[in-house]
Amino acid sequence: MIGFRRDAPDRMKPVLGVSGDLPVFSARLLETLRWTARHYVAPVASVLGKAAPPNVPRIRRFAAYPAADPQIPPPGRDSRYVLGSAPWGSVVAAEVEPVLGAGGSVAVIVPTYEEAGILAAGLQPSLGERVVTASSRLPAKQVTGAWVRAATMAGTLLVGTAEIAFWPVAGLGRIVVVEEGRRAMKAKQTPTWHVRDVVRKRAAIEAFPVTYLGPVPTVEAFTSNAALIPPRGRVWPLVEIADRSEEPPGTGVLLERTRRAVHAVVASGGRVFVFTPRRGYAAAYRCVACGAVRRCAECGSGPGRGTECVRCGAATGPCDACGGKRFAPIGAGAERVIEELARSLRGAVGAAGSGAAVEVGTERDLPGAGRFDLAVIVDGDGLLLAPHYRADEDALRIMARVAALVERGRGKRCLVQTAMPEHAVFGALRHGSPVEFLQTTAAERRSAGFPPAGEVVVVEVDDAPAGADARLREMAGTDAAVFGPAETKDRSRWLIQGRDLAGFRVLLRGAVQEWRDRRARVRIDVDPTDL
């Protein structure tokens, strides 16, 4: 048992030596750590370590921060979601300066190490040594130094990646979470915790407000108690939809309309970013005969070009619209796009970051990509047909980020190629706001019992012990549905869905420990990103 008490229990052994002189967590932070262990069905010990630095922390003497500016208004106490697009420097500064001016600290959590560096560098000219950067990508000594400063110096601005959500911060007055819907904000390995949910729980326990920033909130954040703050105009710049069904299959990666737009911008001395979602996403296909996008009849995702759906395993057949048996791929990887554009633009095309007039990249190239006169999304359908229930929400978020690369101004825009122009995601892109789309999606989730209206837990077991299926069904009882097991090689996978799985998770903890004691490998994914 982990806890705090004043009196020493019987048979307590004496402490012979102390390695460090700083506590790793407080009583209130311990509540968050325990909640995380319970909610994500993880051992408490594995969560406690997330609050600690890589080296033993020791008290250090730091120079005092400059006196606060009395002209800065006091900080507000409300939690809010500010809709907008990167770069975030000015928005973050407006959120943190009142807290720092009152002598408090702020933690700013961003998806990647690169983005943390960009944001911190932009804030340092005005905030100076208050700005401390932290990420597991940094050397252990540097991370420990950042941890000690944040834990002991009120008035610190801690900018870092997901792990700082658990760090003790002296005088913590607000946490800012940038783009909480990004995949980097959820751990892949047990415990599969999510920054958004841990921060929300910690804020409730420690009584501080949270600011979320992003172009497209998750449905969970959208339906929370954070006030939605929209911009005066569009959340992202102008988006134009190019309908692929207007041209026959076999016309190439880029439509003629798209090629003309790219050539016109290059001829005028402008810059173009061409985005392809090839990396990490299922390919989309359409019927050669009628142009209809191929979709699985069982789950509605893009099934690929094989005879079985890559998501649900259902058998796939000819085109539902015309019976055609030949399907052409929609979209292509970055190399194919570069090759096709280079035929007419020659040396003006290169990979993201090359400085060429036309840069071609994927999602990993978006942070720090700069500003362009035209952005092109080669394959919006590939994002929409990804094999998971959050595909529409994720697709809108990614395409909004691509659109945000475009400078605002006359004639500057994002051009999206799709064979499904009437889809709700493209309607939201045209309107420049995610609000109506999220309202509809939240209602659909409530009807289906998916988060945040319900809960989903995925259980994966390698070499599952005999009776594992029956035990899971017994623990779930009548209040939850158990799907599976889906078998792949030596792994068994179950999906448990219900309105409230708190009781199931308590029982699951004991079963998981038994299976691990039998040397079975077990992974628990609570509210998974992918199904």
Side-chain angles (χ1 to χ4, degrees), residues 138 162 251 310 377:
L138 295 171
T251 54
V310 296
I377 297 175

Side-chain angles (χ1 to χ4, degrees), residues 85-176:
S85 300
W88 297 108
S90 60
V91 183
V92 170
E95 293 295 314
V96 306
E97 285 175 355
V99 181
L100 299 178
S105 297
V106 181
V108 182
I109 306 174
V110 296
T112 66
Y113 168 68
E114 289 77 12
E115 288 164 284
I118 292 170
L119 182 58
L123 294 169
Q124 279 171 338
S126 59
L127 298 175
E129 60 187 8
R130 292 179 182 271
V131 182
V132 178
T133 308
S135 170
S136 56
R137 291 271 301 273
L138 295 171
K141 181 178 180 180
Q142 188 172 341
V143 174
T144 302
W147 187 97
V148 172
R149 180 182 284 271
T152 59
M153 290 284 290
T156 297
L157 174 57
L158 178 64
V159 181
T161 45
E163 58 266 31
I164 71 170
F166 292 108
W167 282 17
V169 180
L172 183 58
R174 182 178 289 270
I175 288 183
V176 178

Side-chain angles (χ1 to χ4, degrees), residues 300-503:
S301 70
R305 60 181 177 180
T307 58
E308 292 185 356
C309 175
V310 296
R311 178 185 183 188
C312 70
T316 56
C319 174
D320 292 337
C322 73
K325 297 181 179 180
R326 296 176 57 208
F327 300 91
I330 300 174
E335 290 183 8
R336 181 180 170 191
V337 175
I338 292 173
E339 181 180 351
E340 182 169 317
L341 283 168
R343 293 170 189 163
S344 55
L345 291 172
R346 298 178 185 177
V349 185
S354 65
V358 180
E359 295 187 10
V360 181
T362 60
E363 186 180 0
R364 71 177 182 180
D365 301 308
L366 296 181
R371 287 291 173 265
F372 297 84
D373 301 284
L374 172 68
V376 174
I377 297 175
V378 171
D379 176 22
D381 301 336
L383 293 170
L384 290 173
L385 298 176
H388 55 87
Y389 77 101
R390 298 177 187 269
D392 290 358
E393 178 191 304
D394 282 356
L396 178 57
R397 183 175 300 110
I398 292 169
M399 288 191 274
R401 290 175 62 207
V402 176
L405 299 180
V406 177
E407 295 222 40
R408 297 182 186 250
R410 185 174 181 180
K412 299 178 180 181
R413 66 200 189 280
C414 175
L415 187 60
V416 184
Q417 297 186 156
T418 175
M420 300 185 290
E422 301 307 317
H423 195 284
V425 165
F426 299 118
L429 284 169
R430 288 191 192 97
H431 294 145
S433 171
V435 174
E436 185 176 340
F437 166 82
L438 290 170
Q439 289 170 338
T440 301
T441 303
E444 293 172 350
R445 297 265 186 92
R446 283 194 297 272
S447 177
F450 282 130
E455 293 185 289
V456 175
V457 174
V458 168
V459 179
E460 295 178 347
V461 186
D462 290 355
D463 298 319
D469 181 69
R471 185 164 185 183
L472 285 171
R473 295 178 188 279
E474 180 184 357
M475 290 188 297
T478 59
D479 296 330
V482 179
F483 301 93
E487 307 285 354
T488 56
K489 296 183 179 180
D490 296 328
R491 173 167 293 186
S492 302
R493 189 173 191 266
W494 291 265
L495 185 148
I496 297 88
Q497 181 182 4
R499 293 290 176 180
D500 183 356
L501 297 181

